[in-house]
Amino acid sequence: PRPLHRLLASKACRGAIMFGDTLNRDECEAIVRALRLTQMPFACAHGRPTCAPLARVPNRATLE
């Protein structure tokens, strides 16, 4: 039922890793391995994007 799906989606997101959380290397590797097994690795249960930059990319002004 839809209300149950909404409740479970909300619980899943609240317990998820949030932007700004610090992870060690083992935690990062475990997450990437687990993402391979999901059907939609780039979206949360609500359909929101779950990707974040993993490296800093200098802008053009900093290269000159």
Side-chain angles (χ1 to χ4, degrees), residues 13-50:
C13 284
R14 298 217 188 288
I17 299 162
M18 301 293 180
F19 287 102
D21 286 352
T22 302
L23 303 173
N24 65 39
R25 184 180 180 106
D26 290 338
E27 291 169 320
C28 292
E29 289 175 357
I31 289 168
V32 171
R33 280 193 304 273
L35 280 172
R36 289 183 13 202
L37 304 175
T38 64
Q39 291 180 7
M40 296 177 54
F42 303 113
C44 75
H46 294 101
R48 295 182 188 116
T50 58

